[in-house]
C-alpha cells in the first residue's frame, strides 16, 4: 500500500498535479508614503494582480523613494533590475519623447479634461510608444495639478514668483514655462527636496496637494498658492523582462489591475484636493486660493511658440479641443 502511494504520488508530482505554483515577487517603487495617492494606486494594482493570478505574482513595496528618484527607477525598470514603478511623467520624456506634450503648463483646463485626454485616443496612443523604448506602460495613474509653495511670500501673479529659486522636476518642458513666470528653476530629484527646503538651498517647489500633504512640506514651507499651473500625469511602468514572460491571460490581468489602480489613485487625488487644503492651513500654511491665472497663462506666450515648434501646434490644439 505504502509503495503504491509512493508510486502514485511520484506520478502526480511528475504531472505537476498538486504541486504548489511558484510565486514571483515583483518589486514596485514610488516616491511618496504608503498612505498617499501613489500608495493607494500601487496597492490596488498589487492586490488585483495577486488575486487575478491566484497568487502566482505578488508585490514587495518600496515607497518613499526607497529605490531612488523617479528617473533612476525608470532606468532600473528599463534595465529589468526593478519590476515596476508608479511615477509622474516628470522624467519620462527623457525616455519616451512622445510623453512630453502632456507636460505643457496650462494645457489642461481641469481634471475632467485631463482624464478624458489620457483615457482617450491621444493618451492611449502615447502608451503605445513605450515598448519600442524598452518599457511597458500598463496604464495612466495620476499625480495631480501642481501648485507652488515657498518660504518667502504670497504668489498671486507671475511678478510675485520673480527671482524665487524653485526646485522643479528634471523636465525641460516645465522649466521653459516656469522661466517665463520669472522663477529660477532648479532641477533636483525628489528625495533631495525636503532637505533642500529645510536648509534654504531653494526657496520653494511645486507639487500637487497629495504630495504637499504626504511629504509634510508644511513643516518647511509657509506659502501655498493654488496656481494649478500644470497637470502632472503619472504612469504604472513595467519591465519588459516581466511582461515578456506573462501568458496572454496574465497580461490582461496586469493591464486591468493597472487601470483599476489608476481609478483608485485619481479617487485619492480627488479626496486630497477636497480635504487637504484645510489640513495644510491647520498645519500653518498660508493658502492663496485665488491667483491671477490669466496673467500666468499670458506669460507663457513665448514658451508656447517653442512648444508649437517642438510638438506641432495642431497636436496641442487637438488636446485643447477635447471636450
Ligand atoms: O515633484 C516630483 O518629483 C513628483 O511630483 C513626485 C513627488 C516625485 C511624485 O511623482
Amino acid at each position: 500500500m505504502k509503495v503504491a502511494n509512493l508510486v502514485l504520488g511520484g506520478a502526480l508530482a511528475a504531472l505537476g498535479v498538486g504541486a504548489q505554483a511558484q510565486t514571483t515577487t515583483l518589486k514596485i517603487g514610488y516616491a511618496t508614503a504608503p498612505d498617499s495617492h501613489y500608495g493607494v494606486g500601487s496597492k490596488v494594482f498589487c492586490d488585483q494582480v495577486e488575486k487575478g493570478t491566484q497568487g502566482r505574482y505578488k508585490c514587495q513595496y518600496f515607497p518613499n523613494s526607497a529605490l531612488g528618484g523617479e528617473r533612476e527607477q525608470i532606468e532600473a525598470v528599463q534595465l529589468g533590475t526593478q519590476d515596476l514603478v508608479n511615477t509622474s511623467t516628470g522624467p519620462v520624456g527623457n525616455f519616451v519623447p512622445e510623453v512630453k506634450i502632456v507636460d505643457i503648463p496650462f494645457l489642461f483646463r481641469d481634471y475632467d479634461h485631463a482624464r478624458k485626454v489620457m483615457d482617450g485616443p491621444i493618451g492611449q496612443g502615447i502608451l503605445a510608444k513605450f515598448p519600442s523604448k524598452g518599457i511597458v506602460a500598463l496604464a495612466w495613474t495620476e499625480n495631480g495639478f501642481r501648485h507652488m509653495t515657498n518660504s518667502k511670500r504670497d504668489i498671486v501673479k507671475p511678478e510675485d514668483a520673480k527671482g524665487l529659486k524653485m526646485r522643479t522636476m528634471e523636465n525641460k518642458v516645465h522649466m521653459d514655462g516656469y522661466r517665463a513666470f520669472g522663477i529660477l528653476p532648479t532641477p533636483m530629484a525628489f528625495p533631495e527636496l525636503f532637505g533642500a527646503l529645510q536648509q534654504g538651498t531653494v526657496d520653494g517647489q511645486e507639487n500637487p496637494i497629495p504630495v504637499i500633504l504626504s511629504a509634510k512640506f508644511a513643516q518647511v514651507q509657509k506659502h501655498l498658492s493654488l496656481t494649478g499651473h500644470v497637470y502632472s500625469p503619472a504612469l504604472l511602468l513595467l519591465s519588459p523582462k516581466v511582461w515578456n514572460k506573462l501568458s496572454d491571460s496574465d497580461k490582461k490581468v496586469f493591464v486591468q489591475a493597472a487601470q483599476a489602480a489608476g481609478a483608485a489613485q485619481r479617487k485619492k487625488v480627488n479626496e486630497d484636493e477636497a480635504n487637504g487644503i484645510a489640513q495644510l492651513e491647520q498645519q500653518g500654511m498660508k493658502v492663496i486660493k485665488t491667483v491671477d491665472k490669466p496673467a500666468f497663462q499670458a506669460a507663457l506666450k513665448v514658451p508656447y511658440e517653442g512648444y508649437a515648434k517642438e510638438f506641432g501646434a495642431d497636436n496641442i490644439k487637438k488636446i485643447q479641443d477635447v471636450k
Side-chain angles (χ1 to χ4, degrees):
M1 187 65 181
K2 266 186 184 163
V3 173
N5 273 350
L6 271 177
V7 170
L8 182 65
L12 288 174
L15 288 169
V17 177
Q20 278 287 310
Q22 268 204 334
T23 300
T24 303
T25 302
L26 303 171
K27 285 186 190 168
I28 181 167
Y30 54 90
T32 50
D35 62 353
S36 69
H37 52 328
Y38 282 104
V40 167
S42 301
K43 178 147 176 23
V44 165
F45 172 77
C46 293
D47 285 351
Q48 285 214 11
V49 162
E50 189 168 347
K51 193 161 170 233
T53 62
Q54 295 79 42
R56 283 178 289 108
Y57 287 91
K58 66 174 193 181
C59 292
Q60 185 182 5
Y61 297 97
F62 293 86
N64 293 316
S65 308
L67 297 177
E70 289 185 328
R71 185 174 45 75
E72 286 169 272
Q73 293 196 57
I74 298 162
E75 256 163 31
V77 166
Q78 198 179 37
L79 286 170
T81 52
Q82 178 175 334
D83 302 306
L84 290 144
V85 60
N86 195 347
T87 176
S88 78
T89 52
V92 177
N94 299 319
F95 299 81
V96 183
E98 288 85 351
V99 172
K100 290 189 204 170
I101 191 168
V102 294
D103 292 325
I104 296 178
F106 286 110
L107 177 65
F108 298 104
R109 292 181 297 277
D110 50 28
Y111 278 106
D112 276 352
H113 179 208
R115 292 167 182 177
K116 217 171 250 171
V117 172
M118 298 302 152
D119 295 344
I122 298 173
Q124 299 307 300
I126 296 173
L127 296 187
K129 303 289 180 195
F130 281 70
S132 69
K133 307 291 182 209
I135 304 172
V136 177
L138 292 171
W140 292 104
T141 59
E142 185 169 80
N143 195 18
F145 275 90
R146 302 178 80 88
H147 306 291
M148 296 176 196
T149 71
N150 78 92
S151 57
K152 301 276 182 197
R153 53 183 178 262
D154 295 340
I155 298 176
V156 178
K157 51 190 187 309
E159 291 82 81
D160 304 325
K162 202 169 171 192
L164 287 178
K165 205 169 167 196
M166 275 211 194
R167 177 271 176 177
T168 68
M169 291 199 281
E170 298 160 282
N171 183 303
K172 191 176 173 298
V173 177
H174 284 184
M175 286 162 65
D176 287 349
Y178 302 172
R179 266 188 214 102
F181 298 151
I183 288 170
L184 305 175
T186 309
M188 187 186 289
F190 186 70
E192 292 164 41
L193 177 54
F194 191 92
L197 293 170
Q198 200 165 35
Q199 286 157 25
T201 318
V202 289
D203 302 314
Q205 64 86 46
E206 43 81 58
N207 251 305
I209 297 296
V211 175
I212 298 171
L213 274 173
S214 72
K216 306 198 184 333
F217 284 154
Q219 291 178 6
V220 284
Q221 296 276 270
K222 176 76 188 158
H223 306 270
L224 163 62
S225 288
L226 301 182
T227 43
H229 53 277
V230 71
Y231 177 66
S232 184
L235 293 146
L236 246 171
L237 303 179
L238 175 72
S239 166
K241 242 188 183 172
V242 177
W243 180 253
N244 293 336
K245 279 191 209 142
L246 298 178
S247 66
D248 285 349
S249 66
D250 281 350
K251 281 182 177 161
K252 226 184 195 166
V253 169
F254 272 58
V255 170
Q256 283 172 355
Q259 288 165 349
Q265 202 158 315
R266 286 175 180 178
K267 186 164 170 278
K268 176 67 173 147
V269 170
N270 290 347
E271 287 162 12
D272 284 353
E273 287 274 358
N275 310 320
I277 294 158
Q279 284 179 50
L280 292 167
E281 280 175 327
Q282 273 163 17
Q283 292 166 15
M285 287 192 106
K286 181 171 178 210
V287 184
I288 304 296
K289 293 175 184 146
T290 310
V291 301
D292 190 349
K293 285 201 187 186
F296 278 99
Q297 282 166 298
L300 290 174
K301 193 173 173 300
V302 174
Y304 259 76
E305 286 166 12
Y307 301 144
K309 256 195 212 137
E310 187 173 353
F311 308 117
D314 51 335
N315 290 327
I316 295 175
K317 189 166 180 320
K318 265 187 212 151
I319 293 178
Q320 289 168 330
D321 284 349
V322 172
K323 292 283 176 303

